[in-house]
Amino acid sequence: MKLTLENDLTYDAFLGGKLHLWQPRRGYRAGVDPVLLAASVEAKPGQTALDLGCGVGAAALCLKARLPDVDVFGVERQAFYADLAQRNGLNVLQADLAALPADVRQRQFDHVLANPPYFDRSASVAASDVGRETAMGEATPLQKWVEVAAKRLKPKGYVHFIHRAERLPDLLAALPSSMGSTQVLPIAPRTGRRAELVILRARKEGRAAFELFYPRILHCGEKHEKDGESYTAEIKAVLRDGAALKF
């Protein structure tokens, strides 16, 4: 796909302007989810992180903006998005996570994070835009995402997934026996509403008991009252100030 900057791309602010990303004007565009995912990673200086299916690099680069001493790396299947991630400043490899090259398979990371496609197309309608469909429609099985993420972890490393709440059973079932200390953070749009997203974190060789945390609420109020930003103070701090999202 040939790009014309004025027509095809936007340069969007994240984290209150601490980070700017080139994105396609049409097709899949990073939103709140990769920012929340990055905020949930409790990395330490000098550690490494791999973003599987990184898109334009939103999750990895939000993590880097909060923790500049963490070395981040991305893998992206679509050349168009991999090129944009590179332009945005992420060290990225264009590859299918199901067929990673040998040099990547030989590396291990302290953290692996992923925002896999949310929708099983056997029960939903495909998007008309190819880039958006690849990002949102599950072509590679979720089990494969979890399997690859676990393999790329160092011993005692952490995997982090954000996904639709209804896919939590699939995520838990896909975790290999090497993964433990599983934690789940539900995310609900408003007070009194059911969780629509979950962030799952698990540790390689972890032995702690499973933990299910209380839901985080995205928006103030029980219903939408008026146009404009309505994020809760905790979520606003994550999205605008680059704060961590604590489990």
Side-chain angles (χ1 to χ4, degrees):
M1 182 184 297
K2 185 177 180 180
L3 296 177
T4 302
L5 295 185
E6 294 77 9
N7 297 328
D8 298 327
L9 299 180
T10 60
Y11 193 52
D12 302 309
F14 288 76
L15 308 179
K18 297 180 179 66
L19 174 67
H20 285 79
L21 299 176
W22 290 105
Q23 298 198 89
R25 190 176 300 277
R26 296 172 295 276
Y28 177 74
R29 293 168 55 80
V32 170
D33 297 3
V35 184
L36 295 175
L37 175 64
S40 73
V41 179
E42 297 180 357
K44 298 177 181 178
Q47 288 189 330
T48 56
L50 170 65
D51 185 357
L52 288 176
C54 66
V56 300
L61 293 172
C62 282
L63 175 60
K64 184 74 172 178
R66 178 168 60 90
L67 300 169
D69 293 327
V70 173
D71 187 17
V72 296
F73 182 75
V75 170
E76 171 54 43
R77 174 181 169 187
Q78 300 184 80
F80 173 56
Y81 287 89
D83 289 345
L84 287 178
Q86 190 79 42
R87 181 173 182 175
N88 287 330
L90 180 63
N91 183 8
V92 60
L93 172 71
Q94 184 203 342
D96 190 327
L97 67 89
L100 293 174
D103 58 338
V104 179
R105 295 200 307 271
Q106 292 169 1
R107 294 185 63 182
Q108 290 185 311
F109 300 81
D110 297 292
H111 300 271
V112 177
L113 53 155
N115 181 188
Y118 283 164
F119 300 106
D120 179 353
R121 288 312 188 203
S122 66
S124 58
V125 179
S128 57
D129 179 85
V130 174
R132 182 173 178 80
E133 173 55 25
T134 302
M136 300 301 292
E138 185 181 296
T140 300
L142 183 58
Q143 182 172 352
K144 188 65 176 180
W145 284 80
V146 178
E147 174 190 321
V148 172
K151 286 182 177 180
R152 299 280 60 78
L153 278 178
K154 294 178 180 179
K156 302 299 183 181
Y158 290 90
V159 66
H160 316 256
F161 282 93
I162 189 167
H163 216 299
R164 299 286 299 176
E166 62 264 28
R167 301 301 303 278
L168 177 58
D170 299 326
L171 275 172
L172 293 171
L175 286 172
S177 59
S178 62
M179 301 299 297
S181 303
T182 304
Q183 300 173 313
V184 174
L185 180 67
I187 299 173
R190 294 184 183 275
T191 301
R193 300 274 295 275
R194 66 182 182 182
E196 294 183 356
L197 296 172
V198 292
I199 297 177
L200 179 146
R201 179 165 66 198
R203 194 176 195 187
K204 196 167 191 174
E205 301 177 0
R207 295 292 181 264
F210 173 83
E211 292 183 279
L212 176 64
F213 290 84
Y214 67 88
R216 293 304 196 275
I217 308 300
L218 290 180
H219 297 281
C220 299
E222 294 184 2
K223 60 182 180 179
H224 178 76
E225 299 284 356
K226 59 182 180 180
D227 293 338
E229 189 171 285
S230 61
Y231 292 116
T232 61
E234 180 183 20
I235 298 302
K236 186 175 181 180
V238 170
L239 300 180
R240 302 291 176 251
D241 303 328
L245 181 62
K246 298 294 186 180
F247 271 55

